[in-house]
Amino acid sequence: MTRPSTPRRPNQQRVQRFTRKLLAWYARAARDLPWRKTRDPYRVLVSEVMLQQTQVSRVAEYYPRFLARFPTVARLARSTPRAVREAWDGLGYYARARNLHELAKQVARRHGSTLPDNPEELVKLPGVGRYTAGAVASFAYEKPVAAVDTNVARVIRRVFGNAERGMRNAELWRVASALVPKNGKRAWKFNQAMMELGALVCVARTPKCGECPVQQQCKTGRPSAT
Ligand code: SF4
């Protein structure tokens, strides 16, 4: 009989070193992106929805335009589907715009036009999955919760995973939750830094291990793999 594999928590000393190096690198290397300057939950949400299937450079162009037209949840809730579609034109994947519009109406109706601050409530809203719920809770409300997108999943699997037995989704989220600092502001930076590392250094095809700040803590990284 095969025994179920026990999820392992990463060693605390290793986690602390990893976090220190990651945050120091983020302070030096982070891109200056408009959605990192706000804690407005609606603005954070709009950026996350846009970033789901669109490149950062394109979102940076459309994001201010969309917010100029719909600056608040209440304003978006009152608009027509046609106006929302027009404002989204050029970003593609219009289901996102439809969901965002529906979400705004629900938030206006049920939550007094204020997005909930916890992932359990956020995930009940249209178009909001586990990642987006965590991202809004962390990036807007500075809650110490995990936000695992494709980039973060790749970093966690490479740094803390086991090449032979892999890491399933449930374990991935457990490890991510164990890694997130308990202090909300530090958790904000940690989550941003994990995404940035996955986007700029620990990229999918050819990770730039030679310039990676956490190479020494990584199970799979190689200095010559640049
Ligand atoms: S050392 Fe390489 S594989 Fe490990 S996190 Fe850094 S870039 Fe990714």
Side-chain angles (χ1 to χ4, degrees):
M1 193 172 87
T2 321
R3 275 206 267 156
S5 59
T6 314
R8 289 168 301 172
R9 288 172 74 86
N11 169 284
Q12 271 315 297
Q13 272 193 342
R14 184 161 158 239
V15 169
Q16 281 168 10
R17 272 200 296 274
F18 171 84
T19 303
R20 222 176 24 247
K21 296 206 169 184
L22 178 73
L23 294 183
W25 169 81
Y26 181 74
R28 292 193 306 274
R31 290 169 294 178
D32 183 21
L33 301 172
W35 43 91
R36 288 188 175 146
K37 295 176 184 152
T38 184
R39 296 293 186 276
D40 179 318
Y42 168 68
R43 287 171 181 249
V44 168
L45 176 73
V46 170
S47 72
E48 289 299 335
V49 172
M50 286 184 171
L51 287 163
Q52 277 167 12
Q53 277 145 322
T54 307
Q55 287 185 334
V56 166
S57 55
R58 198 160 186 81
V59 173
E61 193 185 323
Y62 281 81
Y63 178 69
R65 246 187 267 172
F66 187 89
L67 290 175
R69 191 152 179 192
F70 308 112
T72 61
V73 166
R75 180 68 193 80
L76 181 60
R78 287 198 305 272
S79 61
T80 63
R82 188 175 168 180
V84 177
R85 190 186 160 100
E86 274 171 19
W88 200 267
D89 202 19
L91 280 167
Y93 298 98
Y94 291 102
R96 291 180 296 171
R98 274 198 302 276
N99 279 334
L100 191 58
H101 192 198
E102 182 54 33
L103 177 151
K105 290 192 236 174
Q106 288 190 18
V107 170
R109 214 164 44 234
R110 297 185 196 155
H111 301 282
S113 295
T114 301
L115 278 157
D117 66 358
N118 64 80
E120 294 74 23
E121 284 299 313
L122 283 160
V123 84
K124 294 177 189 166
L125 295 167
V128 175
R130 193 173 181 184
Y131 160 72
T132 306
V136 171
S138 173
F139 298 150
Y141 293 107
E142 297 187 349
K143 299 276 180 185
V145 295
V148 184
D149 69 350
T150 315
N151 284 333
V152 174
R154 188 169 56 250
V155 172
I156 291 178
R157 285 198 168 101
R158 284 175 176 168
V159 176
F160 297 100
N162 178 315
E164 281 166 29
R165 74 186 179 92
M167 196 185 268
R168 288 171 192 239
N169 218 32
E171 185 181 358
L172 187 64
W173 275 89
R174 271 196 298 272
V175 172
S177 300
L179 293 175
V180 174
K182 300 290 169 268
N183 172 283
K185 283 194 192 308
R186 200 167 158 84
W188 184 99
K189 276 193 204 144
F190 179 87
N191 284 331
Q192 293 282 7
M194 288 289 276
M195 282 173 207
E196 200 73 335
L197 190 74
L200 302 181
V201 180
C202 193
V203 291
R205 287 202 184 161
T206 317
K208 302 170 186 172
C209 303
E211 55 190 80
C212 178
V214 295
Q215 194 267 330
Q216 286 182 355
Q217 284 73 48
C218 181
K219 283 187 175 175
T220 55
R222 289 162 296 133
S224 57
T226 49

